[in-house]
Amino acid sequence: MALKIYNSLTKQKDTFEPLHKGYVGMYVCGPTVYGPPHLGHARSYVNFDTIYRYLMFSGYKVKYVQNITDVGHLVGDGDDGEDKIMRQAQKEQVDPYEIAYKYENLYFDAMGKLNVLKPSISARATGNIPEIIDMIQKILDKGYGYVTSRGNVYFSVRKFAGYGKLSNRTLDNNLSGERISVADDKREKEDFALWKSSEGGHLMKWNSPWGVGYPGWHIECSTLCKKFLGDTVDIHGGGIDNIFPHHDCEIAQSEIANGKPFVRYFIHNNLITINGTKMGKSLGNFVTLEELFNQFDPMYVRYFILQFSYRSPVDFTNKAIADAGAQYEKIKEVYLKLKEATGSNSKKATDKTLLDIREKFINSMDEDFNTPLAIAELLKLTKFAGSLTDQETLREALGLFDEMAYVLGLKFETLTPKSDDKEDKLLDIISSVRAKLRQEKQYALSDYIRDELAKNGIEVKDKKI
Ligand SMILES: [Zn+2]
């Protein structure tokens, strides 16, 4: 069976064929780093991490690029409102760069706890301003943008015939969206900003051919896709809330600047609700990952998210996570028993039942990354492994467990730090070498070892011989 992906561009499941055989270029819109990571981030990046893992498991060499939006994402998602990072910097009374770095670090910490792999490339908007300026210039050169007297640069949406093809909006069908008010120096209400003048006292600003300012949010993603993945990207991902205006704007910019189709497969994850209502800071039901991890093992959260297809809405309740956690614990118990019984000595599956489970697991993932069905196979494996006594089959079951755990990104091992044991043993060996040296009165060498250890924060006290 070949991998099928629901493609938001074609609105159907398409068989996956990357541009270059064996290689996948994948781009997922990263976080805007102005606040603590929350449940919405967990959902989106766990989903895309699982897709990334499965592509690698399937034998593809994947280049996974994610951006860090550290400037230019305005409150209204379009051209109005304040810059989200600037606003938070004013609130916390710090430099906007401090805000961006602080929340970027918190984001990666939280993702690490969820066992989300780091992308191959994580690129900040502020680190790629010359490339962004180049791309805007290309759009202007091709006649698809204009500069206003206030130093703003806009994309002329009406000139690009394909605008709205992702969201299925047409120009006469309220294209500018309800949330976007019309900035007064635009020629048309649906035009969107490529570059904004910093005339309002914006602190993060750069020189450009159009005056001092900062890039719009959409152009950042188009630029980073081109820089790291080329003119055409195999997979582009994001939440369904990114479809419009963000991804429709990305398509317009990239297809005009590059003259090639931008994306082969657009993948969008659905959103998460809290006790049946939309999550939002203003609604007071905003769940940060820090709060959640104080209450639940992050693996419960990951397991919970994967119980749903990435395209289904997910409703979060404490009970749902606790139930997911109970199921996860049962799987973990069997896994740890398997490890013990086999001495962690796994092997490839040859047993018929195991092969059958493995095939169904792969078929489930091939069917548009259907993680609920994949988890059903993991539960089948758990049940089967619990009944085994034969050493060879136990080892094969462990091997299959490890494969599935890798794809789903589930960690089953309690982190009793093995490396610490090794470090202790190593220190014992070093100590005994030093003792021998001192017995043989080779004090210079013994002191050298002591001093080197001390430099690395390991203190050694010598007893009198
Ligand atoms: Zn983006």
Side-chain angles (χ1 to χ4, degrees), residues 27 29 67 217 221 236 246-247 250:
Y27 185 91
C29 293
N67 61 312
W217 172 39
C221 286
H236 189 319
H246 187 50
H247 288 163
E250 278 188 43

Side-chain angles (χ1 to χ4, degrees), residues 272-333:
I272 198 157
T273 52
I274 313 282
N275 293 311
T277 53
K278 196 175 173 243
M279 186 172 76
K281 272 184 182 166
S282 54
L283 298 169
N285 64 351
F286 194 73
V287 181
T288 70
L289 292 180
E290 192 189 357
E291 286 161 1
L292 201 59
F293 296 164
N294 283 337
Q295 234 182 317
F296 299 105
D297 182 330
M299 276 304 106
Y300 293 10
V301 179
R302 183 166 184 129
Y303 187 86
F304 164 72
I305 290 168
L306 295 177
Q307 283 180 318
F308 302 86
S309 150
Y310 75 89
R311 288 203 292 133
S312 309
V314 168
D315 189 42
F316 166 86
T317 59
N318 277 351
K319 186 181 177 304
I321 296 249
D323 288 350
Q327 212 172 79
Y328 163 83
E329 286 295 340
K330 274 186 198 149
I331 301 169
K332 180 172 159 181
E333 195 187 321

Side-chain angles (χ1 to χ4, degrees), residues 323-396:
D323 288 350
Q327 212 172 79
Y328 163 83
E329 286 295 340
K330 274 186 198 149
I331 301 169
K332 180 172 159 181
E333 195 187 321
V334 171
Y335 178 81
L336 293 179
K337 274 187 190 154
L338 265 183
K339 293 274 278 188
E340 208 184 308
T342 58
S344 296
N345 201 348
S346 65
K347 67 184 271 210
K348 230 174 142 65
T350 56
D351 174 86
K352 203 180 156 301
T353 309
L354 290 175
L355 284 177
D356 184 54
I357 292 173
R358 188 177 190 275
E359 193 187 333
K360 285 191 175 129
F361 176 80
I362 289 172
N363 288 346
S364 306
M365 290 302 289
D366 273 346
E367 191 58 39
D368 196 27
F369 313 105
N370 193 326
T371 53
L373 287 184
I375 282 186
E377 295 307 316
L378 181 62
L379 290 170
K380 235 188 255 173
L381 171 64
T382 307
K383 202 172 165 203
F384 180 64
S387 70
L388 292 174
T389 49
D390 168 61
Q391 185 66 17
E392 287 301 294
T393 325
L394 280 167
R395 285 175 56 198
E396 291 182 14

Side-chain angles (χ1 to χ4, degrees), residues 150-151 195-199 202 204-214:
R150 279 167 49 188
W195 186 264
K196 294 279 279 182
S197 157
S198 58
E199 60 179 2
H202 202 272
M204 297 168 104
K205 56 191 173 189
W206 294 264
N207 287 322
S208 81
W210 323 289
V212 181
Y214 59 97

Side-chain angles (χ1 to χ4, degrees), residues 144 155-165 171 175 192 248-256:
Y144 282 80
F155 188 97
S156 297
V157 162
R158 280 180 189 270
K159 287 194 176 165
F160 179 61
Y163 192 73
K165 65 182 168 189
L171 281 170
L175 238 184
F192 61 88
D248 265 324
C249 294
E250 278 188 43
I251 294 173
Q253 299 164 147
S254 295
E255 298 202 343
I256 289 308

Side-chain angles (χ1 to χ4, degrees), residues 141-157:
D141 292 347
K142 291 193 173 178
Y144 282 80
Y146 58 92
V147 187
T148 71
S149 57
R150 279 167 49 188
N152 293 321
V153 184
Y154 292 103
F155 188 97
S156 297
V157 162

